[in-house]
Amino acid sequence: MSDGAVSVILGKKEKFERAPDRRSEDFHERLFELEAEGELVVQRITGDFVEVPTKYGVIKKIQKANLWHHKSCGQCGHIPGYSTSIFWLMRKLGYDYIDPEDQTSCTAWNYYASATSNQAAQAAVAVRNFAAAYETGNFPLIHCGTSYGHYKEVRAELLHDGALRQQVTKVLHRLGKQLVLPEEIIHYSEWLYAVRDEISARAVRDVSGIAVTVHPACHYYKLVEGDAIFDPDVYHGQRTAAVSGLVLALGADLRSYSTFFDCCGFGFRHILVQRDFTRSFATLRKIEVMKEEADPDVVLTHDTGCVTALDKSQFAAQAHERNVGVPVMSEAQFAALAMGAHPFKVAQLHWHSTNYRPLLEKMGIDWEAAWAEFQEDAKRLKSGGQEFLTWADVDA
Amino acid sequence: MPATTLDPYMKRDHVAGHMDVEREEKERLIGQVMADSRFGDYLYGCYECGICVAACPSARFYDFSPRRIAQAAARRDIDLMFQQMQEDIWECSQCFSCLRCPRGNNPGGVITIMREVAVKEGLHSAKDALAGYSRIIYKIMSTGTQVSPDMLQPDAFPDWGPEVKDVSENLDLWRRMLPPETMHTTTTGWKVADRTLVELYVIWLETGALDMIAQVDQGIHMILEEIMEEKLEEEGIEI
C-alpha cells in the first residue's frame, strides 16, 4: 500500500475517549446505589458463603445452600448427566436446592447464533429468571457458561443504561414482577470450586493416576472477565482456576497444553449448520494439541457447548486418522464419579460419543457391571413396573 | 461496476451474490449500528496489533478478521462495514476471544450489533445465514428451552457417531431414567410451566423480538404469532 493510501486511512480515524483503567469494574457499588434509589431490588447472599478470589482482586461471595438451579438448555437437552451430577453432588453434600419449572433458557445461544433477538429482550429474559428465583427466596446458580457470561453483560448494561432499565422495568411490570439483580452472578463451577475441599474429603475413588486437561469456557472467563475466579495457587493466577482448582483438590494429575486459551470451536450457528468448522477447530486446535503435549485420560470443561464440540467432533475425525480419542465431560461429572456416583444413572455417560470406558477402568469402575444394573432398571421401567427412576433408585 | 474494488481493504462488490446498494442506504444501516447504546463501549480505535486475529478461531478457517471489523468501524468506513454485514459477520464464532485486545475493543460485540441490524432490516445475507436455523428459533421462542432431546436425530447428526442413534431409539426410556423430575421431557430440555411461557411471549412481543423474525422468516413468524396469541388469550392477557 502506498504512503498516500495509509495517510488517507489514518486521516479517517476517529478520536476515542476512554477511562485509563481497562479492568472490568467492581459493579457492587453501582448495584446498591440503584437499589437505594429504588430502581431495582438486589437479591443478597444469605446463609453460609465462601469468599473466592477473582481476576483483579475483587472478592466474590459464593452462597453454599438454598440455590435455585438455573439449568442449561444444552446440558438438559443432550448431556443430561451434567445437570444430574450437579444435583447429585449437592444432595450428597447436604445442600438444599430448588429445581424450578418457572425458568426459561437464557436464550443467549439463539441470540449469539442468529441475532433474532435484541438487547431489551435478552435483558428482560434474564431478569424474569432472576425475579423468579428471588420470589422463592433461593439464590440463582447458573449452570451454563454462556448464560453466566451473557447475564453479566446484561447486568453491566442494566446498571449503566437508564433507558434500557426503564424499558425492561416496564415489561416486567406487565408480568407482575420487579427488576431483580442478584448480589453476585454465580456459575456452578464456582460453587464446585468453593466446596472443592468438601468434595475431595468425600471422594471414594483415587484419581491421582488420572491425567486431566482442562478447557475453560470462553464465555466463563472472557466475557466480563473481572468476575471469573483466578487463584494464585492455580497456574500462578495466570489462568482461570475454575475447573482446574477442583481437579487439583481431587488430587488428579492436571496437565497443561499450549492452546489452553483457544475456543472449542462451538460457534453457536456453526455447531448446527457449519459443523466442518467446529469439527476442524475442536480436533486440530484442542484435542490433537492436548494429545500431543499432555496425553490426557480425560478433558474436563464446564460448559455445554464445549462438551458438545469437543466430544462429538472426534468421531468423524477418526475417519481421517487424526490423533483423537479422549473422553470429554464436565468437572461435575468427574467429581461425582470420584465421589462414587453411578456412571450411567448419575453421570449418564451413555449420552456421550467418545469412548469413556478406558477412563472408567483406570478409575477402578466396573462399567460392564454398572451398565448391567442400568439395563435392569430399564427393564423395570419398560415393563411398566415403575414410571421414572428416582434419586432413591440412584443411591440404592 | 468493476468486479474488484480499488480499495485494498474491500473484497468484491458483489459479495456472496448480494447486490450493492446506494450510499444513502448503507449510511442508514450503519447509522443504526453506531446508534446502538453498546457501540461506544465496544470500540476504542485499533492499534492494528493483530492479537484479536491470533486469538480468533474463525480467522483460522475463513477469510475473516476481527481486526478488519474493528478497523472498519474505527474509520467509519461505511462501504466496508456494509460489505462485512453482507458476509463476514456470520463467520464470527461469538466466543469473544477477541476481547484479548490490549486497546479494550470488542469486535465480537460490534458484530452482535451488526447482526441485529442485518436481521431487523431483513438483509439477504441474514436470510441466507439463518436458513437451516429456523428450528432453533422456533424452539426457543415457543418453548423457552432451545435444545431439546428429540433434536438428536441420526439423520441430522450422522457425524456424531453411533451413540446418536442409541439416544434417539431409547429417548423416551432414557429420559424417564433421569432422576431430576423436571428432566423427563423429550420436546424441551426440562419442564417449563405454562405461565412461564406466557411471560416469555409477552417479552418477545413487547420488545419487538417477534417482529424481527418476520424479516427473516415469514413462515416461522406466522406460526409463532398464532401460538402466542392463543396462549395469551387463554391467560386473559391483552396484546
Side-chain angles (χ1 to χ4, degrees), chain A residues 36-51:
Chain A
E37 290 166 13
E39 292 242 9
L40 50 81
V41 174
V42 180
Q43 181 175 12
R44 283 172 171 72
I45 299 277
T46 54
D48 276 356
F49 63 86
V50 177
E51 292 188 334

Side-chain angles (χ1 to χ4, degrees), chain A residues 278-349:
Chain A
T278 298
R279 198 161 50 235
S280 302
F281 201 84
T283 54
L284 303 181
R285 288 290 292 183
K286 299 299 292 196
I287 299 294
E288 284 201 326
V289 176
M290 290 177 194
K291 286 267 282 180
E292 179 70 25
E293 298 177 5
D295 193 24
D297 296 308
V298 64
V299 181
L300 298 184
T301 180
H302 58 158
D303 179 79
T304 313
C306 312
V307 175
T308 305
L310 296 172
D311 177 35
K312 309 296 184 193
S313 297
Q314 295 186 55
F315 174 75
Q318 291 174 77
H320 301 280
E321 297 179 344
R322 304 304 311 190
N323 184 19
V324 294
V326 195
V328 184
M329 62 184 76
S330 76
E331 94 278 41
Q333 287 165 295
F334 187 70
L337 289 173
M339 272 178 55
H342 198 284
F344 302 110
K345 296 183 197 178
V346 176
Q348 299 279 327
L349 289 174

Side-chain angles (χ1 to χ4, degrees), chain B residues 45-94:
Chain B
C46 174
Y47 291 145
E48 303 180 15
C49 65
I51 285 176
C52 59
V53 183
C56 173
S58 294
R60 287 181 183 273
F61 285 89
Y62 300 106
D63 181 12
F64 173 79
S65 160
R67 184 174 66 169
R68 278 168 53 95
I69 299 287
Q71 286 176 342
R75 295 200 313 267
R76 304 292 193 256
D77 188 331
I78 303 293
D79 290 316
L80 183 52
M81 287 182 81
F82 174 72
Q83 194 177 74
Q84 289 169 341
M85 273 176 81
Q86 290 286 44
E87 187 179 25
D88 302 48
I89 57 170
W90 297 104
E91 289 161 358
C92 170
S93 305
Q94 294 278 286

Side-chain angles (χ1 to χ4, degrees), chain A residues 18 22 76 99 101 105 109 111-113 118 128 161 174 219 222 269 274-275 279 353 387 389, chain B residues 37-38 44 62 90 94 97 102-103 115-116 133 144 156 159-160 175-176 182 193 199 206-207 238:
Chain A
R18 63 170 309 155
R22 292 199 307 107
C76 296
D99 176 12
E101 291 182 11
S105 289
W109 182 338
Y111 182 55
Y112 290 130
N118 56 47
R128 197 214 65 82
D161 187 336
R174 274 212 75 176
H219 288 184
K222 293 173 186 171
R269 209 170 59 80
Q274 287 183 7
R275 236 164 17 245
R279 198 161 50 235
S353 288
E387 196 177 359
L389 219 57
Chain B
S37 60
R38 293 165 291 181
Y44 301 100
Y62 300 106
W90 297 104
Q94 294 278 286
S97 298
R103 190 82 180 94
R115 282 183 176 182
E116 263 186 55
Y133 201 74
D159 55 332
W160 279 12
R175 292 296 292 187
R176 287 192 287 125
T182 56
E199 289 173 359
E206 290 275 323
T207 57
E238 274 182 38

Side-chain angles (χ1 to χ4, degrees), chain A residues 176-197:
Chain A
K177 290 186 183 299
Q178 295 170 287
L179 175 53
V180 178
L181 284 174
E183 184 180 350
E184 305 281 5
I185 293 180
I186 302 173
H187 187 254
Y188 87 82
S189 204
E190 298 179 324
W191 182 82
L192 287 179
Y193 173 88
V195 300
R196 65 195 184 285
D197 292 333

Side-chain angles (χ1 to χ4, degrees), chain A residues 9-79:
Chain A
I9 290 164
L10 290 174
K12 287 165 84 177
K13 281 196 171 184
E14 296 278 325
K15 283 188 170 51
F16 296 89
E17 299 290 337
R18 63 170 309 155
D21 190 347
R22 292 199 307 107
R23 294 179 300 178
S24 49
E25 66 164 345
D26 179 359
F27 60 90
H28 294 93
E29 198 181 324
R30 180 71 182 142
L31 187 69
F32 292 121
E33 202 176 87
L34 285 172
E35 184 188 43
E37 290 166 13
E39 292 242 9
L40 50 81
V41 174
V42 180
Q43 181 175 12
R44 283 172 171 72
I45 299 277
T46 54
D48 276 356
F49 63 86
V50 177
E51 292 188 334
V52 300
T54 58
K55 188 167 186 178
Y56 301 117
V58 174
I59 294 297
K60 182 170 186 174
K61 293 192 282 186
I62 310 291
Q63 180 166 320
K64 290 174 79 173
N66 299 111
L67 295 162
W68 190 88
H69 284 259
H70 181 292
K71 297 179 288 291
S72 148
C73 53
Q75 283 172 29
C76 296
H78 64 209
I79 323 171

